[in-house]
Amino acid sequence: MIREACVNEGTETSGQEIRNVRVLQRFLADVPVEMHVLEAAPGRASLIARVRGTDPTAPALGLLGHIDVVPVDPDGWTRNPFGGDLIDDEVWGRGAVDMLYLTAAFATVLREVALAPEKPRGDLVLLAVADEEAGGDYGLKWLLQQYPDIVEVSEVLTESGGMRMGSHVAIGVAEKGSAGRLLTVQGKPGHASIPYGARSAVFAVGEILQQLSQAVPAAELGELWDAFVTARIDDADLAERLRDPVRLDTAIAHLGGIAGYAYAVSRVTISPTVLRAGSAHNVIPGSGSVQLDIRTLPGTSDDDVDDLLRAVLGPLADETQITHLRGWDATASSTETPLFAALERAVEAVAGAPVVPIMAAGGSDARFFREIGVPAYGFGLLGPAWSYERYREGVHGHNERIDLTSISLSLAALRRIVAERIGAAA
């Protein structure tokens, strides 16, 4: 799948995940599974493969893996990013961590269950979907709208889990929401050779950026925060400060590589990402804009985001048009479910480590299932050296690669979960 280079640039014609669908079809050929290939647009294909269970009242376990990858800068790589090379027990390539190793593991266990001498009690469903990296419009979002019966499951395992948090293994049970905004300001255009009397929108954009650079949204410590601090922080004094919203921000500076994650999951974040003003070097632009990536916590409404922006902008708010871009609410799944309990037992059995539930700072396709009431968890079981920091470096970074030990651990834990949940000994 790495070698098929299904690079998703966010356009309708990119991705071309049909190539990875064909890889999976070949892998599952002559295996007794129900397979559907569904295209939201030419080449934007997803594969749904189901092993039917014998008990219609048993769980239907979905294994949700995306088959698209983000673009690469080849100059930053020391090996071919689409070579899929096995070097020193590591598989190299774009998507190795995010998340083709898991999609491959999901397909492997589905094949084992399908070939087992006894049928499982419940359904096992591989959901190998397109377009996760650009929001799912050509992938799971479309599938749930157009083919809900084909993708129907009662519980889901997907990405964003398995990294080590101290002596614990992190399992994703929640993720932040997104509330993108476009801020537009007006100036007074004119010829650049006679700037007197004109007011460049570039300066207005600069004033907005200055306000945003000084903004530090207040910390809001949710129910997962304490578990994160307990798992990751050994220093008792530092842990106490992290649990205090008043002292939190000074404490975060002492967290090293995990500081960025701690900051992100403890508040709403606002990141300017795209600036636009002007089109010709000799014209003073009359309008300008700033695009914001805003990530929200559970319970944060669109009105809350707009109120926050107006507070940050201060007097500039009256001169700024705020336009809502694409967004979605933060989502979470309860840790009081049979699937989460099975996850805990599997990780303990394979790795001898307890689980810590965490919130992901970014988004994934898990939200689409959570939004319709289906519990979804970020799964994986990476090797002991895979701290959260190492995991984040691998996701979308240069020289992305995954070691065989992590793949083996993830497979071992997955086999246990599948056997417990749907009664199949893979």
Side-chain angles (χ1 to χ4, degrees):
M1 289 191 286
I2 290 172
R3 291 168 182 161
E4 293 297 343
C6 295
V7 176
N8 188 350
E9 297 175 338
T11 64
E12 181 177 330
T13 57
S14 68
Q16 292 302 298
E17 294 90 347
I18 186 64
R19 298 196 297 269
N20 272 340
V21 166
R22 299 302 185 215
V23 172
L24 292 169
Q25 283 183 300
R26 291 192 295 271
F27 181 68
L28 297 173
D30 302 322
V31 175
V33 298
E34 300 175 12
M35 281 197 285
H36 298 270
V37 176
L38 305 168
E39 284 185 293
R44 307 308 304 273
S46 299
L47 174 72
I48 313 301
R50 183 182 296 263
V51 178
R52 290 281 178 185
T54 59
D55 182 357
T57 67
L61 175 58
L63 306 177
L64 173 60
H66 65 81
I67 51 178
D68 59 326
V69 301
V70 296
V72 301
D73 175 6
D75 293 337
W77 286 65
T78 57
R79 299 188 182 279
N80 178 2
F82 299 108
D85 298 318
L86 177 60
I87 306 294
D88 296 329
D89 291 333
E90 293 180 320
V91 180
W92 284 64
R94 172 57 85 223
V97 177
D98 182 20
M99 62 169 291
L100 297 181
Y101 94 92
L102 265 181
T103 303
F106 290 162
T108 297
V109 172
L110 181 92
R111 178 185 172 87
E112 292 171 355
V113 170
L115 293 174
E118 295 184 8
K119 290 185 177 181
R121 184 169 56 88
D123 288 7
L124 185 63
V125 187
L126 172 65
L127 305 144
V129 301
D131 199 38
E132 188 276 342
E133 296 291 3
D137 285 348
Y138 300 101
L140 186 58
K141 181 179 180 180
W142 176 81
L143 289 165
L144 286 168
Q145 292 170 344
Q146 301 297 321
Y147 298 98
D149 293 341
I150 293 177
V151 299
E152 184 177 10
V153 293
S154 60
E155 54 191 31
V156 170
L157 297 179
T158 186
E159 63 182 330
S160 298
M163 63 289 288
R164 302 299 177 117
M165 287 283 189
S167 60
H168 292 62
V169 173
I171 296 296
V173 302
E175 61 186 47
K176 295 182 75 176
S178 178
R181 295 292 188 269
L182 179 69
L183 307 184
T184 305
V185 289
Q186 303 299 321
K188 183 178 179 182
H191 197 288
S193 66
I194 308 177
Y196 184 83
R199 182 176 184 272
S200 175
V202 171
F203 293 130
V205 169
E207 291 171 354
I208 287 176
L209 293 176
Q210 179 67 19
Q211 291 294 107
L212 292 171
S213 71
Q214 298 174 354
V216 181
E220 301 176 53
L221 306 184
E223 61 183 27
L224 298 177
W225 179 257
D226 185 69
F228 158 70
V229 173
T230 298
R232 185 59 196 257
I233 308 303
D234 294 327
D235 185 314
D237 177 67
L238 180 58
E240 181 182 352
R241 292 162 60 196
L242 288 168
R243 292 187 174 99
D244 181 355
V246 176
R247 297 186 290 166
L248 171 66
D249 284 346
T250 57
I252 282 178
H254 298 282
L255 293 184
I258 201 69
Y261 172 79
Y263 183 90
V265 298
S266 62
R267 73 204 65 223
V268 173
T269 57
I270 305 172
S271 299
T273 53
V274 180
L275 311 179
R276 290 191 175 93
S279 58
H281 83 283
N282 61 347
V283 178
I284 293 172
S287 66
S289 65
V290 182
Q291 189 168 318
L292 304 177
D293 182 300
I294 301 175
R295 300 299 171 124
T296 60
L297 294 170
T300 305
S301 69
D302 275 336
D303 288 342
D304 293 334
V305 172
D306 290 339
D307 290 344
L308 174 61
L309 283 176
R310 282 189 282 266
V312 169
L313 293 174
L316 298 177
D318 293 336
E319 305 170 13
T320 305
Q321 177 184 345
I322 300 176
T323 303
H324 289 207
L325 302 178
R326 180 178 186 174
W328 53 85
D329 291 336
T331 61
S333 295
S334 171
T335 58
E336 302 297 323
T337 67
L339 178 56
F340 189 80
L343 263 166
E344 290 183 298
R345 285 188 284 270
V347 171
E348 177 65 36
V350 174
V355 159
V356 57
I358 66 165
M359 175 185 291
S364 76
D365 279 344
R367 72 180 184 275
F368 294 119
F369 279 114
R370 293 189 185 123
E371 286 169 355
I372 60 174
V374 175
Y377 301 104
F379 171 71
L381 182 50
L382 301 174
W386 278 82
S387 64
Y388 179 87
E389 297 94 308
R390 179 177 175 183
Y391 174 81
R392 289 308 310 174
E393 288 174 1
V395 174
H396 298 187
H398 296 321
N399 293 328
E400 183 178 355
R401 58 198 187 274
I402 187 78
D403 61 289
L404 297 186
T405 296
S406 294
I407 297 173
S408 296
L409 289 170
S410 297
L411 273 168
L414 180 60
R415 289 181 177 117
R416 286 179 173 270
I417 294 166
V418 169
E420 179 175 338
R421 293 304 299 143
I422 65 170

